[in-house]
Amino acid sequence: MQTAICPGSFDPITLGHVDVITRASKLFERVVVCVVANANKKTLLTLEERIDYVRRVTAHLPNVEVDSWNGLLVEYAARYENPVVVRGLRAVSDFEYEFMMALTNKKLDPRVETVFLASDEKYTYLSSSGVKEIAYFGGDISQFMPAEILADLQEKIDRRIK
Ligand code: ADP
C-alpha cells in the first residue's frame, strides 16, 4: 500500500492545509498527517494542540491518520512500505525551498518520493503565519480557518494578547 505523508508545522492548520490533505486522501489509499515538532520554529500552539486541531478537522476523512515526529522526515517515512511525501505549493516563492527539501530527502533516502499538489487558487495567499498576524491585530480569521477549531483558536489568541 502506498502511504502519503503530509508533513508540516500546522501552527495552526488552515483551510489551505485541509484542502491539500483532502485531495491527497482521494489520490492515496492512506494518508498520514505528520505534525512536526520542529525545535527551530517558535510556535503559537503546543505540539499537542496542533495535533488535536489536525485530528478534529480531519476526523471525517476515513483514510487519514494523524501522527507527530521530532526528527528527520526520511527516518519517519522509512517506517512505511511505499512512502510518498505530499507538499502543497502555493507560489513560486514556495518552490525553491520545497525543491531543495525534496532533493535533500531523496539524497538521504532514495525510496522517499515527494509529490507536490498545486494549491487551490482560493488558498494561494493563505498561510498559518498570515492568519496569526491577522488574529493578533483583532482581524476576523473565520474565512481562513476550519469551523471545528475556530472558537478555540480565537480564544487562545485573545488570551495571549491580553
Ligand atoms: P512547514 O513549516 O513544514 O512549511 P506548514 O504547516 O507551514 O509547514 O505547511 C505544511 C504544508 O502545507 C507545506 O507543504 C505548505 O506548502 C502547505 N501549505 C500551507 N498553506 C497552504 C495553502 N494555503 N495551500 C496549499 N498548501 C499549503
Side-chain angles (χ1 to χ4, degrees), residues 7-12 14-17 19-20 36 38 41 86-90 94 97-98 117-120 123-128:
S9 314
F10 303 104
D11 184 46
T14 68
L15 288 176
H17 293 124
D19 177 60
V20 168
V36 178
N38 202 341
K41 262 193 183 177
V86 174
R87 298 277 293 177
L89 270 189
R90 281 162 294 190
D94 278 345
Y97 173 75
E98 294 294 342
L117 291 185
S119 165
D120 187 299
Y123 304 124
T124 312
Y125 63 90
L126 186 53
S127 67
S128 298

Side-chain angles (χ1 to χ4, degrees), residues 4 6 18-31 61-64 117:
C6 296
V18 175
D19 177 60
V20 168
I21 295 165
T22 305
R23 285 159 57 207
S25 76
K26 291 176 187 153
L27 296 169
F28 296 92
E29 266 178 278
R30 176 192 200 187
V31 174
L61 299 169
N63 60 339
V64 175
L117 291 185

